[in-house]
Amino acid sequence: MSVEDGIDFAIIELFFFAYRDFTSDPDQILADYGFGRAHHRVLHFVNRRPGLTVAELLDVLKITKQSLARVLKQLIDTDHVVQLQGPRDRRQRELYPTAKGRALALALARPQSRRIHAALEDAGAAERTLVERFLEAMVNPELRAQIDVGSAKMSGKNHGEH
Amino acid sequence: MSVEDGIDFAIIELFFFAYRDFTSDPDQILADYGFGRAHHRVLHFVNRRPGLTVAELLDVLKITKQSLARVLKQLIDTDHVVQLQGPRDRRQRELYPTAKGRALALALARPQSRRIHAALEDAGAAERTLVERFLEAMVNPELRAQIDVGSAKMSGKNHGEH
DNA sequence: GATATTATGTCAGTACTATTGACGTAATTT
DNA sequence: AAATTACGTCAATAGTACTGACATAATATC
């Protein structure tokens, strides 16, 4: 079972290797744009939750406003993301991907998706669900609310919170 | 299914959240030592594969010699890791954890292991195997050799390659 | 034995991602 | 009117990573 001292080193290590290679695919694409992983994360969530505010984005990414600033500015300057004044609260800036931003987000997600499909190749729907449950259970319980991802909550094209 | 444009955004995002929280536990402990995630990774692999050489470590971590230098030096200076001259090739430096290093490695792994166990709480052995297979399949095929982790190859306390 | 090559260490310079703290502005709430 | 909120920005710093260059000792090769 490879458990020494009651510690599950096997999955700890597998998780490290899996994530290392999972992020290596988009990293290569990002390099062509002069972007880094931070840009990817921001673009991903803006694409996935169009209209989310700066504060919401900070909460999801668990970084500070100052860390986000440079990255977001670059994405805006390169026309991947646009800011719109919040309709209810004009202090808020709602973030939306441009067509260019959506295209890049898609290009970055494609190799990752391919890798996932390959890993689940001869797995059935039940096994897929199991992997999803495992990953979700690895997230801090109080933060699972952030994952509306593919749950019943969200059936249309838009997310729930604006 | 939450698949837009044929892209599996659900698992992509879950993987991000899961890894973010998975690394957050040891991060807090590391802060007390003035260490970062890089120290954790080095200490983990030195602990797991005692006697591995600097070159092997660089290959596993996929970083450069210069990046490793500072981190490894700090771990040696703080008596968490020792270097021994290679017995066959005296140019090589074999890396071993000290008792102090093993204790820290264990302390860092404990919350991660707890998180994994909790996530697999009501899963049987078959489901556990499935998760392991999925994570392993996410790793680049040519790099799977690095994972001796818990496979049949390694049954004793030592690793295979020295 | 002279000459590669290898394993490691180190120096200098740079980049990216992140941090904390402080301050400013506009909009909303009390 | 005053406090709070949402956001932006400036300055300073840290951790992790990079490339390139050079040095040393040990091993391998011709």
Side-chain angles (χ1 to χ4, degrees), chain A residues 24-117:
Chain A
S24 71
D25 296 327
D27 279 355
Q28 300 196 310
I29 300 170
L30 289 159
D32 299 336
Y33 291 78
F35 289 164
R37 235 173 250 182
H39 300 85
H40 184 190
R41 290 196 288 267
V42 170
L43 183 59
H44 171 90
F45 283 107
V46 169
N47 187 52
R48 282 284 283 171
R49 295 154 172 72
L52 96 170
T53 64
V54 170
E56 286 166 350
L57 187 53
L58 292 175
D59 193 48
V60 168
L61 297 177
K62 293 265 173 297
I63 58 172
T64 59
K65 190 173 39 164
Q66 295 84 345
S67 296
L68 176 62
R70 177 188 52 92
V71 172
L72 183 57
K73 191 172 189 312
Q74 283 177 277
L75 286 169
I76 290 168
D77 290 346
T78 55
D79 192 37
H80 289 95
V81 172
V82 287
Q83 283 183 322
L84 298 181
Q85 203 172 52
R88 295 178 317 292
D89 186 335
R90 284 183 301 172
R91 288 171 306 179
Q92 294 183 332
R93 305 276 181 274
E94 295 190 343
L95 303 171
Y96 294 90
T98 62
K100 191 177 168 187
R102 278 194 299 275
L104 179 55
L106 203 62
L108 293 169
R110 225 186 304 273
Q112 295 191 311
S113 190
R114 256 202 299 272
R115 185 183 288 270
I116 291 165
H117 278 298

Side-chain angles (χ1 to χ4, degrees), chain A residues 48 132 136 144-156, chain B residues 1-2 10:
Chain A
R48 282 284 283 171
E132 280 183 3
E136 188 166 343
R144 286 196 200 128
Q146 295 179 340
I147 317 172
D148 43 32
V149 182
S151 63
K153 243 186 275 176
M154 175 179 130
S155 50
Chain B
M1 268 262 177
S2 95

Side-chain angles (χ1 to χ4, degrees), chain B residues 68-110:
Chain B
L68 175 62
R70 176 188 52 92
V71 172
L72 183 56
K73 191 174 189 310
Q74 283 177 279
L75 285 170
I76 290 167
D77 289 348
T78 55
D79 191 36
H80 288 95
V81 172
V82 288
Q83 282 182 322
L84 298 180
Q85 205 172 50
R88 293 178 319 292
D89 186 334
R90 284 184 299 172
R91 288 172 306 180
Q92 293 185 332
R93 305 275 181 275
E94 294 190 343
L95 304 172
Y96 293 90
T98 62
K100 191 176 168 189
R102 277 193 299 275
L104 179 53
L106 204 62
L108 293 169
R110 226 187 304 272

